[in-house]
């Protein structure tokens, strides 16, 4: 709020600075008397009820209502704010907004009461005490098992859940008689009707743990059933000679009958986890539940080798037939050395070297398919020789520019390049390219470098053996290898001026565009920056020698005029020229609005309904309605469609 009145004062000071003295018009508002003064120019002597540099601030206590808070008394005066506050007991500050109870330091629901000297006292509820009501009989929370504590004048009072009771909720009502059997654990619960649940020991179940997984006596006669945490919920302790999980195998390893189920010398052991009642530990070379599978049963030995079981891994060994070798007789000289080259196939053969090659039909021959017609390199000019089954036993892949069965022919054989040029066979349409010398060019070096007319500005071209192949004799005023250089080469004429080479001291003359002048057309009437308020200047051929393009909201030859010149904004509003229909926009001071800040906002309650805007109209208030609403307070709704 204080910033608002400071802003009013600054605006009034700014307006005062715009005037130089008290004449010809009195700048002081509301009947104020203007007094000439130095160095400010003037001062205003304001009548009672008004203040400010221009007497524009009215009795703010009557105009703006409750400026002083919390029962403070507003007194209009001549200060910058235009008023001061006399605060009620217990409050302070420029607007009586500061109170000792501002932070409300009273705890546990205590009520803060401001004092006359800027202090405060706490009124504590029953069961709490201390200067800040910080002490509570429920501070240590004596209520157990989730009970809630309420402080009272008689001390803490506990509210217990349904399954607990007692002064501190210490009595368990549901589990007092321990209804859970067979070692089950009782836990109070408000989620079930009985008020408790049982956590049963392993092997037991039911609401009170009275059901056992051994109830059906699943173990064989003579064995003992024990409830446990296994998948079956029990385990059987077998009598002597019994085995498997239910103890119903009486002679698993044939101890009585002498019939050992484990074959081929396997060792038999009784088992209470396997339903067969036993397990076999097989000797090397055998496997299976009864050691009945031999490692040689699928004959792992290849190429006619014979298999024999053995105790060490892998449980067998192979006796190979020559010339095969390897753990399963899978290796031969063909697989180990791969002697047949270039796609030839290898077959084991008796005698030395122990194999025979069958060469592929691709031009290779010999004992190991490595010989070919390319061994004598029949292809010329660096061509690649490829063995072939067709006569003459090879084909040549020629490099670019060469052809023929042995790549010995080229397009350069006819010497197509003239005037001492060098011919090089290549892959172009002609089959060759020429490297020209002495100023000649073209596919066969028959064209002169002067055919392209390289000499400009009337220069004469002479063919020679220089690097360029020609020399230019230039006309007066031009120079360079192609007579292309002149004083106008970099166009010294500015701002669109045209340059013409001549015999003057500068070597050129500038013809300037309208509005520009000088040797290089660099001077114009825009150099004096005649366009104001951000306007842009363009030199031209007008009488002034320039034209101003003004920023939005400004006009005139020099962009010095605007719609703000007439000061259309009221009550200290600031004017900004723009491109709107009015040509300006007013920024109003707080409390004013309207296109020209001509309307003053209502003080106090707003009688305007449905989003209407309220403004002061003398001592009364009026409404500006929006969205089709009408009536003195915008209370009448707009007619609905179809009604």
């Amino acid at each position: 709020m204080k910033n608002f009145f400071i802003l009013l004062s600054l605006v009034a000071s700014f307006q005062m600075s715009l005037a130089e003295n008290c004449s010809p018009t009195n700048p002081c508002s509301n009947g104020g008397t203007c007094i000439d003064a130095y160095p400010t120019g003037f001062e205003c002597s304001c009548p009672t009820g008004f203040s400010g540099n221009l007497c524009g601030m009215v009795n703010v206590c009557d105009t703006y209502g409750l400026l002083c808070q919390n029962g403070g008394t507003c007194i209009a005066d001549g200060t910058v704010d235009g008023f001061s506050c006399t605060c009620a007991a217990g409050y302070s500050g420029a607007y009586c907004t500061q109170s000792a109870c501002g932070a409300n330091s009273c705890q546990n629901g205590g009520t803060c009461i401001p004092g006359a000297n800027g202090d405060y006292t706490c009124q504590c509820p029953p069961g709490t005490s201390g200067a800040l009501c910080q002490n509570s009989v429920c501070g240590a929370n004596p209520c157990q098992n989730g009970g809630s504590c309420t402080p009272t004048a008689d001390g803490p009072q506990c509210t217990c859940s349904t399954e607990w009771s007692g002064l501190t909720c210490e009595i368990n009502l549901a589990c007092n008689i321990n209804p859970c059997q067979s070692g089950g654990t009782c836990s109070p619960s408000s989620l079930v009707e009985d008020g408790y649940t049982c956590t049963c020991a392993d092997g037991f179940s039911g609401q009170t743990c009275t059901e056992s997984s051994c109830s059906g006596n699943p173990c064989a006669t003579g064995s003992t059933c024990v409830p446990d945490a296994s998948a079956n919920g029990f385990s059987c302790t077998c009598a002597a000679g019994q085995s498997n999980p239910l103890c119903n195998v009486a002679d698993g390893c044939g101890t009585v009958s002498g019939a050992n189920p484990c074959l081929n010398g396997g060792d038999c052991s009784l088992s209470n986890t396997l339903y067969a009642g036993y397990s076999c530990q097989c000797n090397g070379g055998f496997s299976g539940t009864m050691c009945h599978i031999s490692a040689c049963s699928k004959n792992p030995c290849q190429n006619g080798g014979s298999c024999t079981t053995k105790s060490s891994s892998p449980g067998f060994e192979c006796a190979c037939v020559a010339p095969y070798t390897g753990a399963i007789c899978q290796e031969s000289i063909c697989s180990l050395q791969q002697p047949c080259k270039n796609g030839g196939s290898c077959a084991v053969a008796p005698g030395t070297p122990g194999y025979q090659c069958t060469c592929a039909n691709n031009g290779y021959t010999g004992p190991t398919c490595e010989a070919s017609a390319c061994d004598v390199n029949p292809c010329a000019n660096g061509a690649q020789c490829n063995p072939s089954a067709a006569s003459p036993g090879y084909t040549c892949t020629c490099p670019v520019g060469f052809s023929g069965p042995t790549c010995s022919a080229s397009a350069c054989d006819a010497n197509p390049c003239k005037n001492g040029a060098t011919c090089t066979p290549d892959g172009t349409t002609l089959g060759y390219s020429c490297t020209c010398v002495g100023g000649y060019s073209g596919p066969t070096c028959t064209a002169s470098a002067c055919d392209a007319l390289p000499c400009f500005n009337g220069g004469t071209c002479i063919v020679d053996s220089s690097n360029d192949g020609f020399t230019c004799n230039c006309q007066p005023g031009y120079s360079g290898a192609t007579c292309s250089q002149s004083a106008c080469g970099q166009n010294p004429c500015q701002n669109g001026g045209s340059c013409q080479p001549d015999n003057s001291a500068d070597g050129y003359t500038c013809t300037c565009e309208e509005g520009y002048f000088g040797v290089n057309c660099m001077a114009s009437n825009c150099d004096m920056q005649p366009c104001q308020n951000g306007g842009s200047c363009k030199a031209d051929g007008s009488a002034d020698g320039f034209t101003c393009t003004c920023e939005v909201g400004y006009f005139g030859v020099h962009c010095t005029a605007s719609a703000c010149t007439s000061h259309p904004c009221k009550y200290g509003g600031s004017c900004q020229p723009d491109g709107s229909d009015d040509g300006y926009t007013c920024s109003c001071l707080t409390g004013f609005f309207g296109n020209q800040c001509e309307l003053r906002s209502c003080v106090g309650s707003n009688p305007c309904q449905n989003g209407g805007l309220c403004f002061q109209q003398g001592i009364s208030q009026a409404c500006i309605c929006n969205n089709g609403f009408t009536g003195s307070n915008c209370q009448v709704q707009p007619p609905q469609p179809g009604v």
Side-chain angles (χ1 to χ4, degrees):
M1 183 177 292
K2 185 174 182 180
N3 291 335
F4 166 69
F5 293 105
I6 292 175
L7 177 61
L8 284 178
S9 179
L10 291 174
V11 171
S13 297
F14 173 75
Q15 290 177 332
M16 183 180 70
S17 67
L18 296 178
E20 296 180 355
N21 46 50
C22 293
S23 62
T25 60
N26 182 3
C28 303
S29 304
N30 298 306
T33 302
C34 182
I35 303 171
D36 287 324
Y38 179 84
T40 59
F42 71 92
E43 294 179 351
C44 289
S45 177
C46 302
T48 302
F50 296 90
S51 63
N53 292 327
L54 298 178
C55 303
M57 297 179 65
V58 299
N59 189 325
V60 295
C61 291
D62 295 335
T63 304
Y64 296 100
L66 297 176
L67 298 175
C68 302
Q69 307 297 311
N70 299 305
T73 303
C74 179
I75 301 173
D77 56 27
T79 63
V80 174
D81 289 345
F83 73 98
S84 60
C85 292
T86 300
C87 301
Y91 294 92
S92 61
Y95 307 109
C96 305
T97 56
Q98 300 175 8
S99 168
C101 286
N104 193 10
S105 300
C106 300
Q107 305 175 19
N108 295 310
T111 302
C112 182
I113 303 174
N117 298 321
D119 57 355
Y120 67 95
T121 59
C122 292
Q123 183 176 343
C124 302
T128 62
S129 62
L132 303 178
C133 307
Q134 72 274 18
N135 301 321
S136 171
V137 294
C138 285
N141 192 14
C143 304
Q144 306 177 30
N145 300 304
S148 59
C149 181
T150 302
T152 68
D154 297 328
Q157 180 177 339
C158 293
T159 302
C160 304
S161 58
T162 56
E163 62 270 21
W164 299 92
S165 66
L167 292 178
T168 60
C169 307
E170 75 279 8
I171 301 174
N172 183 334
L173 300 178
C175 291
N176 283 349
I177 60 174
N178 192 17
C180 304
Q181 306 297 313
S182 305
T185 302
C186 179
S187 301
S189 174
S190 60
L191 302 178
V192 296
E193 183 178 357
D194 293 333
Y196 69 91
T197 58
C198 291
T199 301
C200 300
D202 292 337
F204 292 93
S205 60
Q207 181 177 357
T208 56
C209 306
T210 56
E211 300 175 11
S212 169
S213 53
C214 287
S215 299
N217 195 18
C219 302
T221 302
S223 61
T224 303
C225 181
V226 180
D228 59 18
S230 64
N232 293 328
F234 67 91
S235 61
C236 297
T237 303
C238 301
Q242 294 177 330
S243 62
N244 97 347
L246 299 179
C247 303
N248 57 7
V249 175
D251 190 22
C253 284
T255 304
V256 177
S257 63
N260 184 359
C262 300
L263 304 178
N264 298 304
D267 295 329
C268 181
S269 300
L270 295 177
S271 172
N272 288 340
T273 59
L274 300 176
Y275 276 90
Y278 66 91
S279 63
C280 293
Q281 181 67 38
C282 301
N283 289 326
F286 295 94
S287 61
T289 58
M290 300 174 61
C291 305
H292 58 288
I293 301 174
S294 169
C296 288
S297 60
K298 294 185 178 181
N299 192 17
C301 304
Q302 304 176 19
N303 298 305
S306 58
C307 180
T308 304
T309 59
K310 58 182 295 188
S311 59
S312 60
S313 179
F316 70 90
E317 64 180 357
C318 293
C320 300
V321 177
Y324 293 98
T325 59
I328 56 174
C329 308
Q330 79 280 15
E331 302 289 359
S332 71
I333 191 171
C334 285
S335 61
L336 294 175
Q337 299 182 10
Q338 298 180 355
C340 303
K341 309 301 180 182
N342 299 304
S345 58
C346 180
V348 176
T352 303
Y355 66 90
Q356 183 175 359
C357 292
T358 300
C359 297
N361 187 25
N362 57 5
Y364 288 96
T365 60
T368 58
C369 307
E370 291 183 288
S372 76
C374 288
D375 293 344
V376 296
N377 193 17
C379 303
N381 295 307
Q384 177 182 333
C385 182
N386 308 298
S388 172
S391 178
Y394 65 91
T395 59
C396 293
T397 302
C398 300
V400 174
F402 294 94
S403 61
T406 59
C407 305
S408 57
S410 79
C412 286
D413 294 343
N415 193 20
C417 301
K418 307 302 180 182
N419 298 308
T422 302
C423 182
T424 303
D426 59 19
T428 62
T429 302
L430 296 176
Y432 65 90
S433 61
C434 295
T435 303
C436 303
V437 295
Y440 292 95
S441 61
T444 57
C445 302
T446 56
S448 167
C450 287
D451 294 342
L453 302 176
C455 302
F456 298 102
N457 299 306
T460 303
C461 182
I462 301 173
V463 178
D464 61 18
S465 59
S466 65
N467 291 335
D468 294 328
F470 67 93
T471 298
C472 291
N473 289 334
C474 302
Q475 292 289 335
Y478 293 93
S479 62
T482 59
C483 307
S484 59
Q485 299 177 7
S486 74
C488 289
Q490 296 183 357
N491 192 12
C493 305
Q494 305 298 310
N495 298 304
S498 60
C499 181
Q500 180 63 42
D502 58 20
N503 294 326
S504 64
D506 295 324
Y508 65 91
T509 298
C510 290
T511 302
C512 300
E513 288 288 304
E514 288 185 345
Y516 293 94
F517 53 88
V519 175
N520 293 328
C521 307
M522 296 179 63
S524 76
N525 287 337
C526 284
D527 295 340
M528 301 301 293
Q529 299 181 348
C531 303
Q532 304 299 309
N533 295 305
S536 59
C537 182
K538 179 173 177 60
D540 57 21
S542 64
D544 294 327
F546 66 91
T547 298
C548 291
T549 300
C550 301
E551 287 289 306
V552 173
Y554 292 94
F555 56 90
V557 174
H558 298 92
C559 304
T560 55
S562 76
C564 286
T565 306
S566 62
H567 304 292
C569 302
K570 310 299 183 183
Y571 298 109
S574 60
C575 183
Q576 178 63 43
D578 58 20
S580 64
D581 293 339
D582 295 331
Y584 66 91
T585 297
C586 289
S587 297
C588 302
L589 296 178
T590 304
F592 297 91
F593 65 100
N595 290 339
Q596 295 180 331
C597 305
E598 73 277 11
L599 300 177
R600 177 176 293 177
S601 300
C602 293
V603 177
S605 61
N606 182 4
C608 303
Q609 305 175 23
N610 299 305
L613 299 175
C614 180
F615 65 96
Q616 292 292 137
Q617 198 172 51
I619 61 173
S620 61
Q621 298 174 328
C623 295
I624 298 175
C625 301
N626 294 320
N627 302 321
F629 288 91
T630 59
S632 59
N633 293 331
C634 306
Q635 74 278 14
V636 181
Q637 294 187 355
Q640 301 297 320
V643 179

